[in-house]
């Protein structure tokens, strides 16, 4: 019979031993109240915590667990049990007052770790989730098709490992296969930022978590030992996470992106990728297919996959000092939205081809789509109404109409059309829900719209607005999180004399809206109010309310008309200033290279971010983290900058680059259809509040509207027009660390994970970055 320490059942009975779940990726501190026993013996606490992740977010059946003891603790008396099984021998002294072990064999669900010693006791509850997920993202999409070789329906498969190396031959770029049994003669050497010089050989681990692929790459000396508690000395305990571009839905595993501009901008010959620079400096590089928004445009899954991969890294490679993200376009979206909705996953962001989020850019592109349907079909124009491409652009807020065409064809249609072919789906077969959706023949099929991918976050459409397809399957599709009711398209262009009153009225009469299948309808889009509110609450709209504890470097350049206006970088800047009163934790670099500013800046910004975070790390004062970040930037002289091109961005007294003091217009901050319609510069209102239409609001052109024209607008806007002075419907800051339920039960719109004032986990962050985060 298993012997149980006498004090443990007594303490359990009176409720003095309990797991106290705390915040995201945090230590679980388990205080044990002193108990006055009959013999007046005082029980002292043992602090037990998971060092690889927050204890209620552990996955994969393993965890690093630590027991912190006091100076007067007799170490030989320590006994630790996992689910009643003695695991004491796995623990070893890892510091002056800390025992730690790597524990395996955790069952899915609740696991109890109990530690006792002479006059001491502690207890920790660990919730372990399947390696295939979910952890907090809620029920997974159905009809997912795993990779060949998967061991089960969760796509689990043992990790594989291979060696690669950097060649000393400049004609051999990137990483080449390395065979330890037959090593090549052209292996380059590298010196890490700690001064450790080693051959540039890396080990690449490829595996599956959350039903998708992850990759971990790090410098490795084959044949030499590596322990999670004693890594090889070239590992500097820093992590770079790479991301991909685009926005889409997939129903099969993808490939983790590695290049700086994956999915958006081709690699530039002769320019070294950030991940290679990072590896050479001693970083571990991590990427997941699910952090690629082109494959998975879902902030909860973006965050969950990176969190799970970081946990594995800590459990198998060693502790982490800090994590830097990098990425272009969708890669900037993933970083911005994850950092805002799940603060603590990143400490530094390097963004380019920048957007603040998916949905506010998506609302802009939805407007483009509707405007194109009208502009490019002259048969819809009223007699006597003729439009020019210049006038198209004036209504769209851009220099040319090309931007709207590219945004619509390359981004909006692919992301929002549920009949679009996406990875893992098969051509529609009538009545087969495992094949792709077809509105006529297979309404119960797999929908490739991003709005259906994020149904756990946005919610499903209420029965009161179901269309025939939804009625046929007995379930609402993913909610519509934006509206164009009340939008006076082209109002600013009318005011500026760019279009006539007749054009203005005809456009607003006929532009219409979209249904749940993104098909045009005569009525304006009303949106689903609950989904609109959830878009803000879940962080799918980034209001920058939780970004004060992350350092950001954004670099970009002019957009030649491919839907990546530098204005989007200013959206983030403006929202950040509104949220926290300053933007001192963010710098902006503007250059002349389209979208990215300068091909060299990806690696330069990475190095600067590393320098910035090292500066934060060295600040050992009790100053709040947000203040440390600002202080380190000022101390290190990390500033805004502009490329100095004679005749274009010339600033006196400089040679190559300067602190950027150029007007936003010179940096090509362009507008949007909603701004032209009277909206503000934040571009974050998905659904405006309405006010009555008045003649003064629309009589802004060179000539007043006729009575017939005004009557037509009254017919189009019976409920009123946008009140651009008011906050939007459901507009709010994102809640942090939301869970969307379990594998079988959804919590629509999310629920905060338990615990307040979370503290970062010892193994996941260096001490200087651990802080109290807002819930």
């Amino acid at each position: 019979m298993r012997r149980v320490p006498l004090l443990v059942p007594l303490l359990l009975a009176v409720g003095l031993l309990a797991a106290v779940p705390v915040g995201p990726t945090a230590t679980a501190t388990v205080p044990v109240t002193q108990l006055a026993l009959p013999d007046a013996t005082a029980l002292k606490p043992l602090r037990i915590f998971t060092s690889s992740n927050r204890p209620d977010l552990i996955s994969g059946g393993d965890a690093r667990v630590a027991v912190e003891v006091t100076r007067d603790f007799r170490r030989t008396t320590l006994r630790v049990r996992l689910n009643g099984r003695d695991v004491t021998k796995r623990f070893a002294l890892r510091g002056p007052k800390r025992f730690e072990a790597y524990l395996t064999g955790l069952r899915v669900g609740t696991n109890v770790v109990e530690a006792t010693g002479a006059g001491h006791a502690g207890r920790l509850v660990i919730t372990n989730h399947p390696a295939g997920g979910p952890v907090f993202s809620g029920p997974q999409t159905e009809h997912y098709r795993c990779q060949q070789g998967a061991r089960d329906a969760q796509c689990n498969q043992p990790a594989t490992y291979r060696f690669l190396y950097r060649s000393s031959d400049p004609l051999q770029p990137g990483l080449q296969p390395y065979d330890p049994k037959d090593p090549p003669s052209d292996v380059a050497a590298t010196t890490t930022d700690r001064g450790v010089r080693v051959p540039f050989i890396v080990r690449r681990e490829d595996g599956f978590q959350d039903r998708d692929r992850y990759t971990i790459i790090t410098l490795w000396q084959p044949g030499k030992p590596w322990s999670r508690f004693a890594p090889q000395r070239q590992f500097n305990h820093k992590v770079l996470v790479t991301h991909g571009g685009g926005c889409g839905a997939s129903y099969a595993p993808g490939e983790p992106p590695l290049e700086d501009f994956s999915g958006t901008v081709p690699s530039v010959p002769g320019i070294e990728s950030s991940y290679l620079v990072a590896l050479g400096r001693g970083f571990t590089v991590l990427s997941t297919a699910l952090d690629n928004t082109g494959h998975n445009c879902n902030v909860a899954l973006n965050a969950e996959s990176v969190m799970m991969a970081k946990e594995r890294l800590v459990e198998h490679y060693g502790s982490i000092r800090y994590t830097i993200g990098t990425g272009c376009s969708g890669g900037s979206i993933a970083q911005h939205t994850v950092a805002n909705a799940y603060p603590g996953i990143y400490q530094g962001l390097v963004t380019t081809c920048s957007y603040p989020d998916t949905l506010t850019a998506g609302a802009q592109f939805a407007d483009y789509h509707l405007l194109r349907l009208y502009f490019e079909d002259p048969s819809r124009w009223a007699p006597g109404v003729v439009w020019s491409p210049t006038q198209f652009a004036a209504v769209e807020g851009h220099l040319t109409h090309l931007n709207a065409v590219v945004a619509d064809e390359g981004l909006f249609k692919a992301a929002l059309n549920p009949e679009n072919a996406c990875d893992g789906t098969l051509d529609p077969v009538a009545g087969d829900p495992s094949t792709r959706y077809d509105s006529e023949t297979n309404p119960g099929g797999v929908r490739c719209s991003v709005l259906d991918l994020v149904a756990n976050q946005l919610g499903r459409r209420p029965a009161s607005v179901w269309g025939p397809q939804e009625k046929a399957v007995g379930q609402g599709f993913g909610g519509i999180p934006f509206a164009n009711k009340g939008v006076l398209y082209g109002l600013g262009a009318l005011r500026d004399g760019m279009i006539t009153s007749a054009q203005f009225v005809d456009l607003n009469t006929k532009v219409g809206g979209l249904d749940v299948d993104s098909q045009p309808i005569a009525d304006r889009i009303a949106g689903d109010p609950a989904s609109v509110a959830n878009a803000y609450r879940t962080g799918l709209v980034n209001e920058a309310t939780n970004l004060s504890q992350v350092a950001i470097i954004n670099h970009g350049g002019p957009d030649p008309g491919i839907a990546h206006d530098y204005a989007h970088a200013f959206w983030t800047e403006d929202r950040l200033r509104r949220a926290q009163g300053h933007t001192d934790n963010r710098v902006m670099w503007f250059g002349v290279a389209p979208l990215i500013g300068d091909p060299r800046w990806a690696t330069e910004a990475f190095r600067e971010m590393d320098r910035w975070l090292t500066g934060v790390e060295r600040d050992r004062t009790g100053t709040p983290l947000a203040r440390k970040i600002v202080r380190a930037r000022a101390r290190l002289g990390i500033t805004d900058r502009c490329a100095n091109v004679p005749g274009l961005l010339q600033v006196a007294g400089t040679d190559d680059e300067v602190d950027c003091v150029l007007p936003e217009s010179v940096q090509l901050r362009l507008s949007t259809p909603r701004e032209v319609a009277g909206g503000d510069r934040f571009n974050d209102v998905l659904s405006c509040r309405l006010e009555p239409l008045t003649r003064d609001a629309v009589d802004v052109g060179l000539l007043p509207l006729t009575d017939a024209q005004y009557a037509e607008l009254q017919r189009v806007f019976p409920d009123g027009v946008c009140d651009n002075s008011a906050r939007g419907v459901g507009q709010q800051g994102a809640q942090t660390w939301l869970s969307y339920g379990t594998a079988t039960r959804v919590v629509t719109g999310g629920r905060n994970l338990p615990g307040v004032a979370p503290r970062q986990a010892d193994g996941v962050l260096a001490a200087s970055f651990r802080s109290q985060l807002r819930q």
Side-chain angles (χ1 to χ4, degrees), residues 60-80:
D62 53 356
R64 281 177 59 168
V65 178
V67 180
E68 196 172 86
V69 299
T70 57
R71 291 186 181 276
D72 61 345
F73 182 80
R74 285 184 291 165
R75 298 170 182 175
T76 57
T77 66
L78 179 67
R79 296 292 181 270
V80 186

Side-chain angles (χ1 to χ4, degrees), residues 419 428-431 436-445 468-469 472 517 519:
E419 296 183 352
V429 174
R436 196 163 57 251
Y437 172 85
D438 185 283
S439 59
E440 295 181 0
T441 65
N442 196 32
Q469 291 81 11
D517 285 347
Q519 297 303 306

Side-chain angles (χ1 to χ4, degrees), residues 19-23 25-29 49-50 53-58 124-129:
V20 181
V22 292
T25 55
T27 54
T29 306
F49 57 95
T50 48
N53 200 356
R54 174 175 152 151
D56 56 341
L57 300 179
I58 293 292
L124 172 68
V125 173
I126 297 174
T127 303
N128 174 53
H129 302 80

Side-chain angles (χ1 to χ4, degrees), residues 503-519:
Q503 289 173 312
F504 173 72
V505 173
D506 194 54
L507 168 63
N508 280 285
T509 300
K510 297 174 181 175
V511 70
L514 299 171
D515 67 11
V516 72
D517 285 347
S518 294
Q519 297 303 306

Side-chain angles (χ1 to χ4, degrees), residues 40 50 78 87 94 103 125 129 233 240 287 312 316 339 399 411 426 438 447-448 484 515 535 552 593 600 657 720 757:
T50 48
L78 179 67
V87 292
R94 309 291 180 190
L103 298 183
V125 173
H129 302 80
R233 63 195 185 103
L240 177 70
S287 184
R312 181 174 178 86
H316 292 266
L399 297 176
L411 296 171
L426 303 177
D438 185 283
R447 290 171 59 86
C448 288
N484 70 341
D515 67 11
I552 308 171
R600 302 166 298 177
E657 291 172 349

Side-chain angles (χ1 to χ4, degrees), residues 14 59 120 125 133 140 142 188 264 317 343 384 387 423 431 456 479 508 536 548 610 668:
V14 297
S59 63
H120 295 73
V125 173
Q140 296 172 316
E142 297 180 337
T264 307
Y317 293 81
W387 290 83
D423 289 347
N456 291 349
N508 280 285
Y536 292 100
S548 65
D610 185 26
L668 300 184

Side-chain angles (χ1 to χ4, degrees), residues 345-407:
I345 286 183
Y346 303 103
Q347 285 65 60
L349 313 181
V350 176
T351 60
T352 188
C353 334
S354 188
Y355 294 103
D357 57 56
T358 299
L359 288 187
T360 52
Q364 175 190 2
F365 298 164
D367 287 337
Y368 284 160
H369 180 76
L370 288 170
L371 292 170
R372 286 190 67 207
L373 292 175
Y374 170 81
F375 286 147
E376 296 176 16
D377 183 2
S379 69
R380 297 183 65 187
W381 304 349
V385 170
V386 178
W387 290 83
S388 71
T390 300
Q391 291 174 316
F392 297 171
V395 172
E396 293 159 355
H398 212 269
L399 297 176
T400 72
H401 182 53
L402 175 64
N403 189 68
V405 174
V406 174

